[in-house]
Amino acid sequence: MGAGRSRALRAALAHDGPALVDVVSARQELAMPPKATLGQALSFNLFLMKAVMDGRAAQIVDLARVNLRI
């Protein structure tokens, strides 16, 4: 992270009140909860199966590359 961006983030976090921080992330980046439930795991598995059966296996490969840093 550049020095300017680091200063801007520190300023936003130190601000007494709401602050807007624009963050760029990978499109397929997964947001993980602190504790994953069995229901969440089953839903994710269902998404994976549907994507493969729908011919979107490339999307799954992209998801793995982004989140597993392959």
Side-chain angles (χ1 to χ4, degrees):
M1 183 183 313
R5 286 185 240 157
S6 179
R7 275 194 306 270
L9 185 57
R10 278 197 300 273
L13 293 173
H15 179 69
D16 185 29
L20 179 65
V21 179
D22 185 19
V23 178
V24 178
S25 64
R27 182 174 187 263
Q28 295 284 9
E29 190 78 34
L30 294 175
M32 294 299 296
K35 291 185 179 182
T37 65
L38 179 60
Q40 290 168 327
L42 291 173
S43 294
F44 185 68
N45 188 40
L46 182 61
F47 158 73
L48 293 174
M49 288 190 314
K50 284 182 176 181
V52 170
M53 293 180 77
D54 194 35
R56 295 180 290 143
Q59 181 181 2
I60 304 305
V61 171
D62 187 40
L63 183 76
R65 280 193 182 126
V66 167
N67 292 283
L68 299 176
R69 308 288 186 235
I70 296 174

